[in-house]
């Protein structure tokens, strides 16, 4: 199988995890065409840590921290592959991840991309949860409330990624935003129901654990995509999307804010089916 995939890894002071991430790419049974590590303004010693991989990967430097969306976009713009695969520096892959995804893209050339199941973990080697129950062919109607794709599990045609404008750095929930954009354009993504990605979720500064990320990020996505959500699912879709935002924010907020978010989430109707 020809190497067609550019692997893009955003890196920001991730020296305690990057070895595991890179080794999982080096050990792929279908080698990547190239590996682009985008150093997003890391401190000097963390940047120096990358030098031991300088012969195996392409290191791209942002002089200042610009955020994960722009780091991924920078890698995509410089990538040479037909496909892009994104890997967060604290996640890692099973060795057959790229082989299965590239084979699928060869077998079903009409696809824009594909994604796969994940093992969510806090302690190394021990999964807290395994996510392999997702729609086989993802459509906009499946994503009216939540995203089904984890960036580290995603492989996409570079052409479609660039045409969609990449990740919007002004939207904190940049992955959900981009997936809604691509799905609303009619692109299709198939799910491989095998857990091929280890996705780290712990108290490691993971931004998604903050209520602000959920609340403000999802509200920006709602504002940007509400017309597509309404067109596809009517008032039910709008109500359920907002209900989910307040519910998720309540889980991460504390004190009075927790109760306010919880109250709103309970009060929003969730079963409206008409337009």
């Amino acid at each position: 199988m020809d190497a067609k995939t550019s692997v893009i890894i955003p890196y920001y002071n991730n020296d305690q995890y990057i070895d595991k991430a890179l080794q999982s790419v080096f050990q792929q049974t279908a080698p990547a065409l190239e590996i682009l590590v985008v150093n997003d303004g890391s401190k000097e010693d963390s940047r120096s840590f990358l030098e031991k991989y300088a012969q195996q990967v392409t290191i791209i430097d942002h002089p200042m921290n610009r955020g994960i969306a722009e780091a991924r976009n920078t890698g995509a713009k410089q990538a040479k592959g037909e496909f892009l695969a994104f890997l967060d520096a604290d996640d890692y892959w099973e060795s057959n991840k790229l082989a299965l995804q590239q084979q699928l893209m060869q077998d079903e050339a009409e696809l824009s991309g594909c994604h796969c199941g994940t093992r969510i973990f806090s302690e190394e080697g021990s999964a807290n949860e395994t996510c392999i129950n997702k729609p086989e062919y993802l459509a906009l109607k499946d994503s009216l409330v939540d995203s089904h794709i984890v960036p580290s599990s995603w492989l996409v045609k570079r052409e479609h990624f660039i045409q969609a404008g990449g990740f919007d750095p002004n939207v904190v929930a940049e992955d959900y935003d981009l997936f809604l954009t691509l799905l609303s354009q009619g692109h299709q993504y198939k799910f491989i129901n095998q857990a091929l990605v280890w996705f780290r979720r712990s108290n490691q500064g993971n931004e998604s654990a903050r209520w602000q990320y959920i609340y403000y990020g999802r509200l920006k996505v709602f504002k940007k995509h509400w017309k597509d959500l309404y067109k596809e699912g009517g008032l039910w879709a709008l109500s359920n999307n907002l209900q989910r935002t307040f519910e998720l924010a309540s889980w991460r907020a504390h004190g009075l804010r927790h109760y306010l978010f919880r109250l709103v989430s309970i009060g929003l109707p969730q079963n409206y089916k008409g337009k």
Side-chain angles (χ1 to χ4, degrees):
M1 185 183 298
D2 294 338
K4 297 181 177 181
T5 302
S6 298
V7 176
I8 297 166
I9 304 177
Y11 176 87
Y12 179 64
N13 300 328
N14 299 115
D15 39 292
Q16 70 269 49
Y17 303 123
I18 190 66
D19 287 335
K20 184 83 170 182
L22 283 173
Q23 288 302 321
S24 78
V25 182
F26 297 152
Q27 294 167 10
Q28 290 297 299
T29 57
L33 175 66
E34 60 182 348
I35 304 169
L36 307 172
V37 177
V38 183
N39 169 48
D40 191 29
S42 297
K43 58 187 179 181
E44 185 175 348
D45 56 344
S46 290
R47 172 59 180 86
S48 298
F49 189 85
L50 291 178
E51 283 302 319
K52 64 180 180 178
Y53 293 112
Q55 300 302 312
Q56 297 165 282
V57 309
T58 299
I59 302 171
I60 305 168
D61 287 302
H62 283 175
M64 299 178 62
N65 180 253
R66 292 160 55 183
I68 195 167
E70 292 210 42
R72 289 171 178 154
N73 291 344
T74 293
K77 289 173 183 176
Q78 297 196 28
K80 301 179 179 68
E82 178 182 350
F83 307 124
L84 305 176
F86 298 91
L87 176 61
D88 288 354
D90 56 351
D91 298 339
Y92 55 94
W93 292 340
E94 296 288 351
S95 61
N96 58 340
K97 191 256 189 190
L98 287 184
L100 290 174
Q101 289 190 313
Q102 287 191 171
Q103 186 63 54
L104 175 59
M105 295 301 293
Q106 179 176 310
D107 294 342
E108 301 187 39
E110 71 278 5
L111 292 172
S112 176
C114 57
H115 64 122
C116 61
T118 59
R119 290 187 177 95
I120 300 173
F121 75 101
S122 299
E123 300 295 331
E124 292 288 343
S126 178
N128 302 329
E129 182 181 356
T130 300
C131 300
I132 56 172
N133 184 23
K134 296 179 183 290
E136 183 179 12
Y137 289 95
L138 189 64
L140 183 59
K141 64 181 176 60
D142 303 307
S143 302
L144 299 179
V145 175
D146 283 313
S147 173
H148 282 282
I149 303 177
V150 174
S152 288
S153 77
W154 191 38
L155 183 139
V156 62
K157 290 180 177 176
R158 181 180 181 273
E159 176 187 10
H160 293 169
F161 179 91
I162 297 297
Q163 287 174 351
F167 294 99
D168 186 344
N170 297 312
V171 178
V172 179
E174 74 290 331
D175 49 353
Y176 187 27
D177 168 61
L178 177 58
F179 301 144
L180 285 177
T181 296
L182 288 163
L183 291 169
S184 67
Q185 292 174 352
H187 295 302
Q188 193 173 61
Y189 300 93
K190 188 172 183 179
F191 179 63
I192 299 172
N193 64 340
Q194 297 183 45
L196 305 174
V197 174
W198 287 80
F199 173 75
R200 187 182 303 273
R201 179 178 291 164
S202 59
N203 296 319
Q204 307 292 342
N206 188 332
E207 194 173 25
S208 63
R210 296 178 10 222
W211 72 264
Q212 295 97 326
Y213 177 96
I214 294 294
Y215 183 69
Y216 293 113
R218 284 182 59 102
L219 285 182
K220 281 190 175 181
V221 171
F222 182 89
K223 182 178 179 180
K224 189 172 177 180
H225 294 280
W226 74 267
K227 291 182 181 178
D228 288 324
L229 297 175
Y230 178 78
K231 182 178 179 180
E232 185 66 33
L235 291 178
W236 175 86
L238 300 184
S239 176
N240 274 254
N241 188 285
L242 288 173
Q243 188 278 331
R244 183 65 169 161
T245 295
F246 282 97
E247 180 182 52
L248 290 172
S250 74
W251 293 351
R252 293 162 174 81
H254 300 283
L256 179 60
R257 187 176 285 112
H258 163 80
Y259 293 105
L260 288 174
F261 286 157
R262 184 63 181 156
L263 182 63
V264 175
S265 72
I266 293 172
L268 281 168
Q270 301 177 52
N271 298 308
Y272 185 85
K273 299 293 185 182
K275 289 191 177 182

